[in-house]
Amino acid sequence: MSQQTARRGGAAWALVITSVAGFMAALDNLVVTTALPSIREDLGGALHDLEWTVSAYTLTFAVLLMFGAALGDRFGRRRLFIAGLAVFTGASAAAAMAPGIDSLIAARAIQGAGAAVMMPLTLTLLTAAVPAAKRGMAYGIWGAVNGLAVASGPLVGGTLTEHISWQWIFWLNVPLGLALLPLARLRLAESRGTGAPLDIPGTLLASGGLFGIVYGLVRGPVDGWTGSLVLTGLFSGTALLAGFVLYSTRAKNPMLPMRLFRSRAFSGINAASLLMFLGMFGSIFLLSQYMQGVLGYSPTEAGLRMLPWTGMPMLVAPIAGILADRIGGRPVVAAGLFLQALGLGYMSVVATADASYTAQLPALIVSGIGMALYFAPAAHLVMSSVRPQEQGIASGANNALREVGGALGIAVMASIFAAQGGYESGQAFVDGMRPALVTGSAVVGLAGIAALLIPTRRRTERQTAPAEPAPVLETASH
């Protein structure tokens, strides 16, 4: 390896760049939710228009994740990461300057497309830059930052809206993106996957299938589950994904080789990730509203009180990464998921229309520790379950499943909430939230069981080590 390549591939720089980029993409999943009333006041629009400011990002992000990873493997991961980051940053500025609700929705869709290219490549670029012995701690920090973004999205959005303006939830990305672009160009090493040609039929089947399912999930609670477009999306999406699986078992160079799922490590961590995000996204969606709408906290006050949950990954996740290096990721991930399930279950018991913060604090702490223990080792398990040249698409598939899980979680929790309660009063909200949290707890508990099916570290290493060539690196000229 040349000195220039080594300089570009510095582990510390890669960790900073990929963590900040991942934070930006994850944050924008839910950051808009608490700003919707202010957006409506400024830009107008009906309720379904406002909901599309959230759904447009979720749709393009989830649909294009695997395609973005495949593009990076084929044309260069650093090159596509920079392209995705540039698109995301430009679209963030366009969203902040949007003159109307339609242009805001369009900017959000483009933002999601940029994030879909950028996000899965963060993990691949980080893996290529960090020595194997130190990846646990690196994944821990990366996971902590991403976990913080997922959990604090609604609260960050509400705080910026309350104290400055809703436009700043988008302006926040612009200086970060402009700072990262030259750093990524100078400090990240280029790498590629297998070099196989793009799988056009597989890309169309997977993207179409994900679009149909995610569209149905995000619009179901709004338009009704029996709506023609919702049912069409769900059924056609399922059929296209079934076709994608069938096609991929026979294709010569499939975008996502189905043989990967024969690995218990790959299947187990992806099942656990989907279930974890299903339970967690829906719970955060309701709890952020509970803190503000029922208990009467301002967005800033709610954010401070949520810190034992949302801030815990910053403290615990690096430790979790070190533990995963020493004892393997499976016990750490499983313990984290069971603690997260316990925390959500405890919150469902103590939540009342006038609950004290002291009563909620143990649930927040336990949930925070659980989330922190999950994020870092989960990333490690995904990347170690496949060969280096397959890590890009493995990361894309894992992120896509997590996004589908998050969309499904919000849809399921919203449906349970609407069936059992509502927004008429604080008590009505609690009546709907409690069974939703119980469901979320049960789903995250199932994720813990899925994690226990992952083989031990030694068995996983025996399965993957013989076929692991060194990552392909190249030095790009200035």
Side-chain angles (χ1 to χ4, degrees), residues 111-130:
Q111 220 188 0
V117 175
M118 174 178 70
M119 183 66 175
L121 297 177
T122 60
L123 202 51
T124 317
L125 290 165
L126 181 62
T127 301
V130 178

Side-chain angles (χ1 to χ4, degrees), residues 391-414:
Q391 286 174 340
I393 195 58
S395 175
N398 183 255
N399 276 279
L401 287 170
R402 283 163 40 165
E403 287 302 308
V404 171
L408 181 58
I410 292 176
V412 169
M413 301 298 189

